[in-house]
Amino acid sequence: MKPKKSLKIWFLSFLAVFGPGFIVMIADMDAGSITTAFVSGARYGYKLIPLQLLLIPLLYVVQEIASRLGCVTSKGHGELIREYFGEKWAIFSTILLLFVVFSALLTEFSGIAASTEIIGIPKYYSIIISAILLILVALSGKYKRAENIAIVFSLISFVFIPAAIMSNPDYGEIAKSFISSQPINDKNYLFLVAANVGAVIMPWMIYYQQSATVDKCLQSCDIKFAKWDTLIGSFATQILMVVVIILGASVLYKEHIAPNNAYDFTLALVPIAGKYSASLFAIGLYASSILAAFVVSMSFAWASGETWNFGHTLNAKFKQEKLFYFIYIALVALSALIILIPNIPLVTIMVDVEAFNGFVLPIVLGFLIVLASSKKILKNYSYSKSYISIVALLALAIVILGLYSIIA
């Protein structure tokens, strides 16, 4: 009986910690990532599947550091930067984060609009309703309540799996993708490789996971369970990327169709994979987009409070933390309103602002690695020099490929 009891205790302890890592990882599978994965499958079939699995450890090691810093210090990323690098650096990095966050929010609301228009709901209604939902979730007055809602949307995103199965993929070709040659002389292929790698780590992910860990009141004793939370999330998000690549390859690669946005992707699914597959894809796109919108908005609201030293917790009511909630609401409302402007050059705006990610990411990763290498900060939970060196090399690879995808 003891082994069963021990397993039950371990599982319950894990569930108590579960959330921040899993949520932020699934949020990384947002409208932009879905578009990248679909384009990858539509243009090159199953060839980019192995890359997604290779990115799992890269994604894990960076986010695990953010989680550990939160558990040990009980301080968010912005607060640690302010304390150890100075207020000016904290303000600088947080302002730069705003550009990345706002760009991501425009992408997420575009995904929301695209997903609902497929089933006949005008974007005017879906954007407004979704914005209200996002605001109500934050105003619930409890971090745990907001987290549970976010987990539900995370799980809904897994409808991509049955959607892909309905597309009748060639499992033999999928297996061959792990041993077949890659078109490394194709510049367009290399661009997609860079785009996939460059989008693995976003600055807001680091801020969100560390702040969520603090708001959930996790401590040093929770690190081992937080590592599992992050690891499971790392596998889950990359599996979903694989699934979307399979969906794009199975349906569009064979037909030589390569749409440029999520709305056209879904429309192309209907005559080829069927309306049910298209409907599941639309549901998954909506769940992923609204989840990412919540995570992205929260990352900046938390970062603002940490940087400018005002109250910043989801465990407080609106009247207790007015500035914190105002920043979150303003981000959501403004992004939603911009998407509703007729004929706005959305693609141009997103491309221009997205370029800031290539500039912000090296700064955020640099701060993260320096903080992680400090025994004064992590104390008994510090990393070895060799581990930090490996993380630094992986971070450099992410930055280089991210910049390549912007410049190319």
Side-chain angles (χ1 to χ4, degrees):
M1 293 297 290
K2 286 186 178 181
K4 288 185 178 181
K5 187 175 181 180
S6 298
L7 182 61
K8 182 179 179 180
I9 292 173
W10 186 95
F11 185 66
L12 291 175
S13 299
F14 167 70
L15 286 182
V17 173
F18 178 77
F22 183 74
I23 289 169
V24 79
M25 295 298 185
I26 303 301
D28 189 34
M29 180 66 182
D30 64 354
S33 295
I34 291 170
T35 300
T36 301
F38 220 125
V39 169
S40 299
R43 293 182 180 174
Y44 293 97
Y46 305 110
K47 290 187 178 296
L48 280 159
I49 288 178
L51 174 65
Q52 304 305 323
L53 302 183
L54 289 173
L55 293 176
I56 292 173
L58 192 153
L59 181 60
Y60 168 77
V61 294
V62 172
Q63 291 302 127
E64 193 277 328
I65 290 175
S67 175
R68 184 175 300 208
L69 285 169
C71 286
V72 174
T73 67
S74 295
K75 296 174 182 177
H77 198 65
E79 187 174 355
L80 282 183
I81 292 175
R82 178 166 56 83
E83 288 188 2
Y84 290 91
F85 297 97
E87 188 175 359
K88 291 182 179 179
W89 276 111
I91 292 173
F92 176 67
S93 61
T94 302
I95 290 175
L96 289 179
L97 177 67
L98 175 60
F99 288 96
V100 177
V101 162
F102 200 67
S103 171
L105 276 172
L106 293 178
T107 303
E108 311 320 335
F109 276 106
S110 296
I112 290 170
S115 63
T116 55
E117 284 181 332
I118 291 298
I119 56 178
I121 301 175
K123 72 175 185 179
Y124 180 83
Y125 296 108
S126 63
I127 292 296
I128 291 177
I129 292 171
S130 297
I132 292 172
L133 175 60
L134 285 165
I135 292 170
L136 290 176
V137 169
L139 292 175
S140 63
K142 291 287 184 181
Y143 168 82
K144 187 61 179 177
R145 189 176 295 132
E147 181 185 74
N148 288 338
I149 295 172
I151 289 174
V152 169
F153 278 101
S154 300
L155 296 175
I156 292 174
S157 299
F158 284 83
V159 298
F160 286 124
I161 295 176
I165 293 174
M166 290 179 185
S167 69
N168 297 314
D170 188 328
Y171 296 104
E173 288 298 318
I174 293 173
K176 287 181 182 178
S177 69
F178 289 89
I179 57 175
S180 63
S181 60
Q182 302 291 324
I184 56 175
N185 295 322
D186 186 337
K187 290 184 177 179
N188 292 325
Y189 179 78
L190 292 178
F191 170 79
L192 279 175
V193 169
N196 277 279
V197 176
V200 169
I201 302 293
M202 304 297 283
W204 48 263
M205 293 176 65
I206 295 169
Y207 277 87
Y208 178 89
Q209 185 162 358
Q210 190 168 333
S211 298
T213 297
V214 174
D215 224 6
K216 193 167 183 173
C217 301
L218 300 185
Q219 302 295 322
S220 300
C221 59
D222 299 311
I223 287 177
K224 62 180 180 179
F225 298 111
K227 289 173 69 173
W228 277 103
D229 179 31
T230 303
L231 184 62
I232 291 170
S234 300
F235 272 93
T237 187
Q238 292 309 110
I239 287 172
L240 288 178
M241 284 289 283
V242 168
V243 167
V244 175
I245 288 176
I246 290 173
L247 192 55
S250 303
V251 176
L252 305 182
Y253 179 67
K254 293 184 295 185
E255 303 295 329
H256 304 290
I257 301 171
N260 294 314
N261 57 68
Y263 181 79
D264 291 339
F265 290 152
T266 316
L267 287 180
L269 289 178
V270 177
I272 303 172
K275 63 179 182 180
Y276 295 113
S277 179
S279 297
L280 287 173
F281 180 82
I283 292 170
L285 176 60
Y286 179 82
S288 299
S289 298
I290 200 165
L291 172 69
F294 169 75
V295 169
V296 169
S297 301
M298 280 307 311
S299 70
F300 184 74
W302 271 322
S304 298
E306 294 158 4
T307 299
W308 284 285
N309 200 24
F310 58 81
H312 50 278
T313 175
L314 283 172
N315 291 313
K317 300 292 184 181
F318 178 81
K319 62 182 180 180
Q320 297 171 306
E321 308 286 7
K322 292 180 181 178
L323 183 55
F324 168 68
Y325 284 111
F326 174 78
I327 290 172
Y328 174 87
I329 293 170
L331 279 172
V332 171
L334 185 58
S335 302
L337 288 173
I338 288 175
I339 297 299
L340 292 175
I341 297 174
N343 303 318
I344 185 172
L346 186 59
V347 174
T348 301
I349 292 174
M350 286 191 294
V351 170
D352 290 343
V353 182
E354 188 68 23
F356 275 95
N357 183 58
F359 179 51
V360 177
L361 189 58
I363 297 172
V364 175
L365 287 175
F367 284 138
L368 184 75
I369 291 169
V370 173
L371 291 170
S373 62
S374 172
K375 290 187 177 181
K376 181 180 178 181
I377 296 173
L378 285 176
K379 301 172 184 176
N380 295 332
Y381 300 93
S382 60
Y383 299 95
S384 66
K385 290 183 179 179
S386 58
Y387 186 86
I388 292 296
S389 298
I390 293 171
V391 173
L393 289 173
L394 291 174
L396 181 62
I398 298 171
V399 170
I400 291 173
L401 288 166
L403 289 172
Y404 175 80
S405 67
I406 294 169
I407 297 169

